[in-house]
């Protein structure tokens, strides 16, 4: 059995976000499920946890739906040129790459998470520094607590996010995204794009 230090405790606080005002039943059900979850120490635990979340999203998918013209436009482009590529959860469309300025901008075009494979991986980087901003849709941002106490306890914070919401992700921060609706994120990062700097926790 693994120790708590190698486990992660996922928790969410819905009180600060407007999403609770517009979808109180969904938010209460999701919050109760997440905050009652046990520490997660292996891939099987994580897949079951994510599966529970996507089951709840599926039950409320129709009421959560919002107009997403940018998502529709960008999804249409995925895979049609060298600056885009498809993923299990949607796709990536590069907007700007500047080696000189150590700067990358790209859209993450994310399908509403109605099954576990729609969820972006729980991952981290040794070098890459990034910032996510919601351009369209609603999401849950996931980020580990890098404080000494947070690291010891394996704390992971989940936050509701809507248009304009941002999340700063520094090296070693374990992170992920769950799309509550079809979603477009603008990721701004350093140029550390090599595959060896992408590490999955689960």
């Amino acid at each position: 059995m693994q120790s708590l230090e190698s486990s992660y405790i996922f928790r969410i606080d819905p009180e600060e976000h407007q999403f609770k005002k517009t979808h109180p039943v969904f938010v209460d059900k999701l919050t109760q499920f997440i905050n009652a979850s046990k520490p997660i120490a292996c891939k099987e635990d994580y897949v079951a946890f994510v599966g529970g979340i996507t089951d709840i999203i599926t039950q409320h998918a129709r009421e959560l739906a919002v107009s997403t013209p940018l998502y529709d436009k960008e999804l249409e482009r995925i895979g049609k040129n060298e600056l885009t590529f498809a993923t299990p959860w949607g796709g990536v469309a590069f907007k700007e790459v500047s080696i000189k300025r150590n700067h990358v901008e790209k859209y993450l075009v994310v399908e509403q998470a109605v099954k576990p494979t729609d969820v972006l991986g729980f991952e981290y980087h040794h070098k890459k520094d990034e910032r996510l901003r919601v351009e369209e849709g609603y999401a849950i941002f996931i980020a580990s607590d890098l404080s000494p106490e947070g690291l010891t306890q394996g704390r992971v914070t989940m936050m509701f996010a809507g248009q304009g919401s941002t999340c700063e992700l520094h090296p070693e921060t374990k992170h992920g995204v769950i799309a509550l609706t079809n979603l477009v994120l603008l990721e701004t990062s350093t140029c550390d794009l090599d595959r060896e700097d992408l590490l999955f926790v689960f």
Side-chain angles (χ1 to χ4, degrees), residues 12 31 36 58 71 79 82 94 109 122 125 159-160 183 186:
I12 192 165
T31 299
T58 300
Y71 170 89
E82 60 191 20
F94 284 89
V109 184
F122 190 50
H125 312 281
M159 302 156 283
F160 286 98
L183 174 73
L186 177 65

Side-chain angles (χ1 to χ4, degrees), residues 96-104 189-191:
E96 180 184 346
V97 178
S98 172
I99 304 298
K100 185 176 181 179
R101 294 194 299 120
N102 192 25
H103 179 82
V104 176
S189 75
T190 55
C191 281

Side-chain angles (χ1 to χ4, degrees), residues 44-97:
E44 291 75 18
D45 290 347
Y46 184 70
V47 170
F49 173 65
V50 170
I53 292 172
T54 57
D55 283 348
I56 295 170
I57 294 171
T58 300
Q59 293 165 22
H60 295 265
R62 185 170 294 177
E63 72 187 70
L64 295 175
V66 294
S67 176
T68 51
L70 180 61
Y71 170 89
D72 296 338
K73 176 185 172 186
E74 292 299 322
L75 189 65
E76 179 67 23
R77 296 178 53 226
I78 298 297
K80 294 188 176 175
N81 64 60
E82 60 191 20
L83 294 176
T84 69
F85 62 89
T87 66
W89 38 262
V92 175
F94 284 89
K95 290 173 59 63
E96 180 184 346
V97 178

Side-chain angles (χ1 to χ4, degrees), residues 61-197:
R62 185 170 294 177
E63 72 187 70
L64 295 175
V66 294
S67 176
T68 51
L70 180 61
Y71 170 89
D72 296 338
K73 176 185 172 186
E74 292 299 322
L75 189 65
E76 179 67 23
R77 296 178 53 226
I78 298 297
K80 294 188 176 175
N81 64 60
E82 60 191 20
L83 294 176
T84 69
F85 62 89
T87 66
W89 38 262
V92 175
F94 284 89
K95 290 173 59 63
E96 180 184 346
V97 178
S98 172
I99 304 298
K100 185 176 181 179
R101 294 194 299 120
N102 192 25
H103 179 82
V104 176
E105 283 188 9
K106 61 187 179 185
Y107 280 143
L108 307 181
V109 184
V110 190
E111 181 181 6
Q112 185 182 46
V114 294
K115 55 187 185 297
T117 53
D118 295 334
V119 175
L120 279 68
F122 190 50
E123 63 188 45
Y124 66 103
H125 312 281
H126 289 312
K127 297 183 288 184
K128 184 179 174 185
D129 209 332
E130 62 186 288
R131 179 178 187 265
L132 300 178
R133 186 179 77 200
V134 177
E135 297 292 290
E136 186 176 75
Y138 288 93
I140 293 174
F141 287 150
I142 305 170
S144 61
D145 181 346
L146 293 183
S147 70
E149 184 182 359
L151 286 171
T152 300
Q153 296 179 1
R155 291 193 310 224
V156 180
T157 301
M158 303 177 75
M159 302 156 283
F160 286 98
Q163 188 171 13
S165 298
T166 61
C167 184
E168 304 285 342
L169 299 168
H170 303 297
E172 307 303 329
T173 304
K174 279 77 174 179
H175 60 274
V177 175
I178 300 175
L180 300 176
T181 66
N182 289 343
L183 174 73
V184 178
L185 298 172
L186 177 65
E187 179 188 304
T188 306
S189 75
T190 55
C191 281
D192 303 296
L193 301 177
D194 55 296
R195 291 183 182 273
E196 293 181 5
D197 194 48

